[in-house]
Amino acid sequence: MNIPFLDNWRKRQGGTQGSGLAAAVEADPDGVAELLAECELLRVRAGQQGLELDDTPASLSALDQLPPRWREDPEELPWLGNDAGLYLGTVIVRTVAGASWDIWPSGRPVVRLISGREIDVVAAGLDWAMSGSPELSQVYAESAES
């Protein structure tokens, strides 16, 4: 996964892709959570359609209802899907008790629930951006039940 702000951070920290980010999550989980919550492209595109993303489950439902105009731009689609996944993860981490960010050895951020279950939110966001399924609100509801 290529997230420019994380790549720049890794270079400054001198770490490798997976271990540097994993160490950052251990050392400063709140700081990494804030970085992952930026989702700038998604927030801009949603704002252009009159939706302000407020990091709540209701905003996930509202995103699910937007016309998928981003599918018209194949270059932007994976970036928007990545942001959608990070936004989904942000909402889960901020609203589901015991949920937290974790990093797979590949460097991919996932959400770990208190049950130990890991949710690949980036994959869910990419699937949502490309096909509309699963809906972000559905992934959230399943994680909130765990």
Side-chain angles (χ1 to χ4, degrees):
M1 181 176 67
N2 180 18
I3 304 175
F5 65 85
L6 286 179
D7 290 340
N8 292 335
W9 180 86
R10 284 186 202 114
K11 288 176 189 171
R12 287 193 309 268
Q13 301 302 315
T16 61
Q17 184 170 342
S19 64
L21 186 54
V25 168
E26 288 180 27
D28 186 10
D30 293 336
V32 172
E34 287 303 314
L35 284 173
L36 295 174
E38 287 183 6
C39 314
E40 184 176 354
L41 178 62
L42 180 68
R43 291 180 189 278
V44 167
R45 294 295 177 257
Q48 289 170 340
Q49 295 188 47
L51 174 61
E52 181 181 341
L53 300 181
D54 58 3
D55 302 347
T56 63
S59 66
L60 295 172
S61 295
L63 271 173
D64 289 336
Q65 302 306 312
L66 289 179
R69 294 188 180 117
W70 54 84
R71 291 189 194 137
E72 298 168 6
D73 185 349
E75 290 184 22
E76 188 172 280
L77 185 61
W79 296 104
L80 190 111
N82 186 74
D83 273 11
L86 294 176
Y87 183 71
L88 169 63
T90 295
V91 174
I92 294 170
V93 167
R94 290 184 177 173
T95 62
V96 174
S100 62
W101 286 106
D102 197 8
I103 306 300
W104 280 346
S106 65
R108 187 176 206 141
V110 295
V111 171
R112 181 182 298 270
L113 302 176
I114 199 164
S115 66
R117 178 176 163 222
E118 293 178 330
I119 302 170
D120 187 350
V121 291
V122 172
L126 289 168
D127 289 345
W128 172 82
M130 290 184 200
S131 67
S133 179
E135 290 185 337
L136 299 175
S137 58
Q138 176 186 351
V139 176
Y140 174 83
E142 290 170 3
S143 66
E145 290 174 0
S146 297

